[in-house]
Amino acid sequence: MIEILPQHVTFIMDGNGRWAKQRGKERLYGHFEGVESVRSVLSTSVEMGIKYVSFFAFSEENWNRSPEEVGGLMDLMLKSMKAELDTFLNNGVRFKVIGNKARLPESLNEGIDELETLTAHCSRTTAIIFVSYSGKWDLQQAASRMAADGAHELEPYLATAGIPDPDLMIRTSGEKRISNYMLWQLAYTEFVFVDTLWPDFRKQEYLAALEEYASRDRRFGKVK
Ligand code: IPE
Ligand code: IPE
Ligand code: MG
């Protein structure tokens, strides 16, 4: 039994390319296997009663990869989310995509709209995929809309408005950086960095990270 659970866990899923390379395969093969890790982590989150679980799937910077990889990832995202619809509905999972959707292919946007609508009533766990997202983009779009409204509070304008800030951020593959992910929202998040490559990150690795989180002393600037 894990004593203290986070309300929102977010993942920087990294290492798919290296995982494929180790096996002499193309990068996309690693992304395919990475989808299985998303499924494992999501079902474990539902089981554990974690209310929000989110995944950095594609950054603004990732648009600079080869057209083959970008196209392959867009197709994979559309296919995988469609394949999960029944699982979402059967498990009370509300699905949401956050990012600069204007850059996404129309078919993907249609798929996203459909899934978001069909799962809008689900309330057990919210699963969020960050696509074409960057922290600087988010702050910029929030600041311009706030200024246009003559408003003074930034938070309601962030792409994540209404979603609690992550309590725990897990990054796989040994890289120790946030790569322009949520810059504002990670202000007080606990970070866990693991060497495991994303396609190898499954339930057991997740539970270990949750144990690590439970052992942290979150002080928020106060003295205990
Ligand atoms: C993470 O794996 C998935 C995306 C960023 C889309 P990578 O594709 O970055 O894999 P590595 O870091 O090259 O191993
Ligand atoms: C971060 O991974 C972005 C996602 C996981 C979607 P990258 O592989 O793009 O990050 P860098 O380039 O190593 O910082
Ligand atoms: Mg990477």
Side-chain angles (χ1 to χ4, degrees):
M1 239 290 276
I2 301 172
E3 298 277 326
I4 307 160
L5 282 177
Q7 188 188 9
H8 179 179
V9 186
T10 196
F11 289 89
I12 299 182
M13 312 185 274
D14 201 10
N16 295 352
R18 278 164 281 173
W19 188 90
K21 196 173 178 197
Q22 283 175 0
R23 285 157 182 80
K25 307 258 191 187
E26 286 187 31
R27 298 180 56 82
L28 269 175
Y29 179 69
H31 298 316
F32 287 132
E33 196 57 32
V35 174
E36 294 309 311
S37 297
V38 175
R39 299 179 68 225
S40 166
V41 163
L42 181 55
S43 67
T44 305
S45 302
V46 172
E47 237 172 70
M48 307 279 296
I50 291 171
K51 297 303 281 182
Y52 295 85
V53 58
S54 58
F55 303 90
F56 199 8
F58 191 87
S59 71
E60 287 262 83
E61 289 78 10
N62 290 149
W63 286 112
N64 297 318
R65 294 190 180 189
S66 74
E68 292 74 37
E69 185 170 355
V70 171
L73 279 165
M74 295 297 145
D75 289 349
L76 178 62
M77 283 190 278
L78 181 58
K79 242 190 244 152
S80 327
M81 66 191 201
K82 281 193 168 172
E84 292 310 301
L85 177 60
D86 286 344
T87 313
F88 291 159
L89 293 173
N90 292 334
N91 292 284
V93 174
R94 180 165 68 122
F95 177 80
K96 208 173 151 48
V97 171
I98 291 178
N100 186 358
K101 289 179 184 159
R103 293 191 75 173
L104 300 179
E106 206 180 305
S107 56
L108 182 54
N109 271 322
E110 285 168 5
I112 292 168
D113 284 349
E114 194 183 332
L115 252 84
E116 287 185 342
T117 307
L118 292 172
T119 63
H121 65 284
C122 298
S123 59
R124 200 163 158 194
T125 295
T126 299
I128 305 150
I129 314 289
F130 285 81
V131 183
S132 191
Y133 180 86
S134 85
K136 288 191 179 183
W137 164 80
D138 195 359
L139 288 173
Q140 212 134 41
Q141 67 77 28
S144 2
R145 292 193 302 125
M146 181 179 77
D149 285 358
H152 299 281
E153 207 195 324
L154 189 78
E155 215 140 57
Y157 290 92
L158 290 170
T160 52
I163 296 162
D165 288 345
D167 300 294
L168 170 62
M169 188 282 281
I170 302 170
R171 183 173 187 149
T172 56
S173 90
E175 310 299 350
K176 292 172 186 72
R177 54 177 170 264
I178 60 172
S179 301
N180 203 1
Y181 196 26
M182 294 183 259
L183 296 174
W184 173 286
Q185 300 89 334
L186 293 173
Y188 250 113
T189 303
E190 294 293 328
F191 291 172
V192 170
F193 295 99
V194 297
D195 288 336
T196 314
L197 302 175
W198 179 252
D200 290 328
F201 191 95
R202 300 286 161 94
K203 185 172 184 174
Q204 195 189 331
E205 289 73 24
Y206 186 22
L207 293 177
L210 289 172
E211 292 278 6
E212 164 70 26
Y213 172 81
S215 76
R216 300 276 175 95
D217 186 10
R218 299 186 83 191
R219 290 189 291 276
F220 299 101
K222 295 179 198 138
V223 176
K224 271 195 184 161

